[in-house]
Amino acid sequence: MADIACINGSFMDLADAVVPIEDRGYQFADGVYEVIVAHGGVPFLLDEHLARLQRSADGIGLGLDCATLGLDDLIRDGIARCGYQDVMIYMQITRGIASREHAYAANMTPNLVMTFKRKPIIAPALRETGIDLETVADTRWVHCSIKSIALLANIMIKNAAKQRGFFDAIILTADYEVLETSCANVFIVSGGTLITPPADTRILHGITRGHLLESARNANIPCEERSISKTELLSADEVFITSSSIDVLPARRVDDQPIGGGKPGPLGKRLLECFPKSAMPANTHGSVTA
Ligand code: PLP
């Protein structure tokens, strides 16, 4: 078992994988990405991730038909080659290599890079106790539904939250409406209804978010996609965040406000059951703080 990479279809050890300095991903963050997990060697919600990758590629004008890249086969091949049961697959497509100039040529050849690593798991204790979140102002760009590799604002938000002792930060609009965290979508439960902000250009349309909503609707849990005020957030019965790497992670506190009496609530726990289990027991993985 080993961490491996794949550059434009060629597999190699992760440590041997290099890309040229003049790749526009390196110089301009000119590219898009996906993170996909596999459990027991099976990629989860792969079609949904590949469809979003195409939307992101279209969103930055890559002029690329992702179907021609054979991504499905490369991903399955990579999972088999790395040998892990539970895999974290990172995939990015940049506009390609060119002399550093802001404007780009129409005929560039995109570069596809993937890495395959063992999927870290959330420490079980963190799921039991719940996480602490803070609220912060939005400092990102206006196309947050594009899964761009330009994540400087997101990493600054996350890092500042960690330095202040929080797991992550919930980003608010100037009107104190909830958007998402630096790297996950946000749900609240209020009076038995599951509520999440609408999938517009101000948030990433999380694949986990979509799966959770679909699972909840199938279970006849009332769901609403609508704006959530900060006041409503702080008085919610439950708050949890979702992403491919964490599934569903409950909050016990937002800013100074305990949520649900300061411990994870029942709906978040129930919805976690809609996700595949790790093939390996928890103590064989590193734990993660996502
Ligand atoms: N929102 C942001 C800003 C993210 O970066 C992510 C995941 O990386 C998500 C939401 C959750 O998306 P997904 O469920 O597709 O992993």
Side-chain angles (χ1 to χ4, degrees):
M1 288 182 285
D3 292 356
I4 59 170
C6 176
I7 301 183
N8 294 323
S10 301
F11 285 93
M12 64 207 74
D13 286 346
L14 183 63
D16 296 333
V18 289
V19 291
I21 285 176
E22 289 204 312
D23 185 290
R24 288 179 63 96
Y26 181 69
Q27 293 190 330
F28 290 115
D30 185 358
V32 293
Y33 78 106
E34 279 296 324
V35 174
I36 303 167
V37 295
H39 301 96
V42 181
F44 185 52
L45 301 171
L46 181 56
D47 290 348
E48 289 82 349
H49 280 282
L50 295 183
R52 183 174 64 186
L53 181 68
Q54 182 68 61
R55 290 197 300 277
S56 296
D58 293 344
I60 65 163
L62 273 189
L64 184 66
D65 178 0
C66 294
T68 62
L69 299 176
L71 294 173
D72 201 301
D73 288 344
L74 285 174
I75 287 168
R76 290 175 203 282
D77 195 1
I79 291 170
R81 284 170 186 257
C82 75
Y84 302 126
Q85 284 293 296
D86 298 331
V87 191
M88 176 75 73
I89 302 141
Y90 176 80
M91 174 168 47
Q92 80 171 38
I93 304 179
T94 65
R95 202 176 300 278
I97 299 163
S99 182
R100 189 183 180 284
E101 204 178 305
H102 286 64
Y104 51 86
N107 60 348
M108 291 199 57
T109 306
N111 271 333
L112 167 67
V113 170
M114 296 186 206
T115 61
F116 298 80
K117 299 183 185 181
R118 190 197 296 273
K119 179 185 182 290
I121 64 151
I122 297 291
L126 205 55
R127 290 201 190 278
E128 288 302 315
T129 56
I131 55 170
D132 298 332
L133 299 166
E134 65 170 346
T135 56
V136 298
D138 197 359
T139 49
R140 306 165 307 158
W141 74 330
V142 294
H143 303 292
C144 293
S145 55
I146 296 174
K147 200 162 168 60
S148 157
I149 61 173
L151 290 172
L152 190 53
N154 302 56
I155 64 174
M156 291 183 75
I157 287 169
K158 174 89 177 189
N159 208 55
K162 279 189 83 172
Q163 284 179 344
R164 287 191 281 263
F166 294 92
F167 182 85
D168 198 352
I170 295 179
I171 301 165
L172 304 176
T173 67
D175 297 329
Y176 298 99
E177 277 174 48
V178 172
L179 292 173
E180 59 184 341
T181 81
S182 71
C183 51
N185 291 114
V186 176
F187 286 80
I188 69 165
V189 178
S190 184
T193 300
L194 185 63
I195 311 166
T196 195
D200 56 25
T201 55
R202 300 174 305 171
I203 67 166
L204 186 73
H205 302 185
I207 303 304
T208 320
R209 172 190 180 280
H211 177 69
L212 195 92
L213 280 172
E214 192 185 337
S215 306
R217 286 184 175 124
N218 288 342
N220 293 320
I221 295 165
C223 298
E224 292 177 7
E225 294 177 71
R226 61 159 174 85
S227 76
I228 301 168
S229 69
K230 181 177 175 184
T231 311
E232 201 177 1
L233 170 74
L234 296 180
S235 59
D237 302 323
E238 294 182 43
V239 173
F240 44 80
I241 63 173
T242 64
S243 81
S244 299
S245 52
I246 59 174
D247 300 331
V248 183
L249 197 53
R252 64 176 178 185
R253 179 165 72 97
V254 178
D255 294 336
D256 290 333
Q257 181 65 45
I259 303 294
K263 50 183 198 308
L267 193 53
K269 270 192 197 143
R270 184 176 159 198
L271 288 168
L272 188 59
E273 298 300 315
C274 306
F275 291 85
K277 301 277 170 295
S278 289
M280 305 287 280
N283 61 6
T284 59
H285 293 249
S287 64
V288 72
T289 53

